[in-house]
Amino acid sequence: MAVEVQGRMVYVSTGSKTQTVNICTEVNRRTIYESVYELDIRQKVTEEQVAQRNDLAELRAWLESLGGFDRGPRGDEAPAGQPKREPRLIGVDVDDEWFDSARRVVEVAIDSLVLEFIDFPYLHRVEHSLHARLYGILAAHPIFAHLLPIGDTGYSTQPVHKEWPETTAREAKAGRRGNFDLAILSRRQLESATLDDFREGRIAAAIVIEMGLDYGFDHLNQDHDKLINSNVSAGYLVDLVRKRPADDRTEHLVLNPNANVKTAYARHAPTGECVYKTVGESELRRRG
């Protein structure tokens, strides 16, 4: 049974552990939904309760107050003659003065991590520990060390995020979005965001950092493609390697990335020599 809210058909589906409240697109065809809200079964949402909402905004706010989580659009078929509806996405304002300042801070933070790795290559055992280290450096800087309001929701978040969803899905993910290692959101983006935008990652990260520890060329190349595929405005690749011989493909990519990508690199060779490049450098340097 469906109920109508502001001209949209809404279906309530009850399973053994969860309920979903499914809001149709403007064409009102079942199985093609603009939003699918998932709720705990204990909420016991009914069609009668849904029908009491005056409009879609009120319905969404009510579902969120019950802990509902919008899983986003669902349904692969678009009606004949009508383009498929793309989910909302909050883009990046590269003219924002904050953007240039944030980039400079990020580059100094990345360089400090690379120089630390040169001196202490085994300070961290795994890549995720390096993520945490860089996250800590960034989050401690005054430009990022504050809370930002999420639209007019009354909730706040921080600028720096771990595992932020990719802007655009890659073919390798079969239509699903993976996650960026680290991402930074701007105040302006969050000012216009809803909780759905934030929780679904429908904010194109202004600055993205992808990192690798002890990987070969293929991993670096995939991370590079990942940044290009999502058309990241300011992307950074950080490649750190221990006890590996030189790989010409890796070093060529490090020195010749896409125009929107900057790189930092450090490789401790089996001979004891360290080859490295900070973000602003265009050539490899060596330390014996």
Side-chain angles (χ1 to χ4, degrees):
M1 173 180 168
V3 296
E4 185 175 331
V5 177
Q6 199 178 351
R8 301 287 188 87
M9 302 309 294
V10 181
Y11 294 86
V12 178
S13 178
T14 303
S16 59
K17 294 183 179 180
T18 61
Q19 279 189 313
T20 59
V21 178
N22 308 281
I23 303 173
C24 285
T25 63
E26 294 175 351
V27 297
N28 279 330
R29 179 180 297 181
R30 191 168 190 174
T31 74
I32 304 177
Y33 302 121
E34 180 177 281
S35 293
V36 176
Y37 282 87
E38 183 175 302
L39 300 106
D40 190 291
I41 190 64
R42 291 171 293 185
Q43 293 298 340
K44 296 183 172 60
V45 169
T46 66
E47 286 87 355
E48 290 77 13
Q49 290 174 312
V50 170
Q52 292 172 9
R53 309 304 136 185
N54 294 316
D55 53 35
L56 291 174
E58 182 182 331
L59 174 60
R60 292 177 183 277
W62 176 66
L63 292 171
E64 289 178 5
S65 74
L66 297 176
F69 182 75
D70 184 5
R71 294 293 182 185
R74 185 172 298 175
D76 296 330
E77 297 181 15
Q82 181 165 330
K84 185 175 181 180
R85 183 186 179 95
E86 295 295 333
R88 162 184 165 93
L89 179 70
I90 299 175
V92 181
D93 183 1
V94 295
D95 294 326
D96 187 349
E97 183 179 344
W98 169 91
F99 184 72
D100 289 335
S101 298
R103 287 193 66 163
R104 289 193 292 270
V105 171
V106 167
E107 291 175 11
V108 170
I110 290 173
D111 286 350
S112 69
L113 182 74
V114 170
L115 295 175
E116 184 177 79
F117 179 81
I118 292 171
D119 291 333
F120 306 103
Y122 292 98
L123 191 61
H124 302 275
R125 186 181 71 87
V126 296
E127 180 184 315
H128 283 287
S129 183
L130 282 164
H131 294 177
R133 173 62 173 148
L134 183 56
Y135 181 100
I137 295 172
L138 291 169
H141 193 280
I143 197 173
F144 302 133
H146 52 267
L147 296 179
L148 300 175
I150 303 173
D152 57 1
T153 66
Y155 294 97
S156 297
T157 188
Q158 54 200 335
V160 186
H161 291 270
K162 176 88 172 74
E163 301 301 313
W164 187 259
E166 294 175 58
T167 309
T168 307
R170 289 170 287 153
E171 289 185 9
K173 289 287 183 180
R176 295 179 296 106
R177 292 185 296 164
N179 294 318
F180 294 127
D181 291 339
L182 291 171
I184 298 174
L185 310 180
S186 74
R187 178 183 293 275
R188 284 190 181 179
Q189 289 178 303
L190 288 163
E191 282 176 349
S192 62
T194 65
L195 280 180
D196 286 347
D197 294 328
F198 178 78
R199 293 194 296 186
E200 289 290 324
R202 297 197 295 255
I203 304 172
I207 299 172
V208 172
I209 305 165
E210 284 292 310
M211 300 177 66
L213 176 65
D214 293 338
Y215 287 110
F217 170 76
D218 288 344
H219 183 275
L220 177 67
N221 193 44
Q222 287 171 11
D223 280 349
H224 185 244
D225 290 345
K226 185 176 181 180
L227 297 174
I228 296 171
N229 183 70
S230 283
N231 196 27
V232 173
S233 298
Y236 295 90
L237 285 178
V238 184
D239 192 45
L240 306 176
V241 184
R242 299 173 293 200
K243 299 298 182 184
R244 281 179 179 264
D247 184 326
D248 291 341
R249 297 174 302 168
T250 293
E251 295 188 353
H252 181 269
L253 178 53
V254 164
L255 295 175
N256 300 277
N258 178 271
N260 287 346
V261 178
K262 292 186 177 183
T263 65
Y265 174 69
R267 176 179 60 84
H268 284 272
T271 61
E273 179 187 52
C274 183
V275 180
Y276 68 97
K277 183 188 93 66
T278 57
V279 173
E281 294 177 315
S282 59
E283 301 292 337
L284 298 177
R285 301 174 66 181
R286 284 171 167 77
R287 180 186 294 184

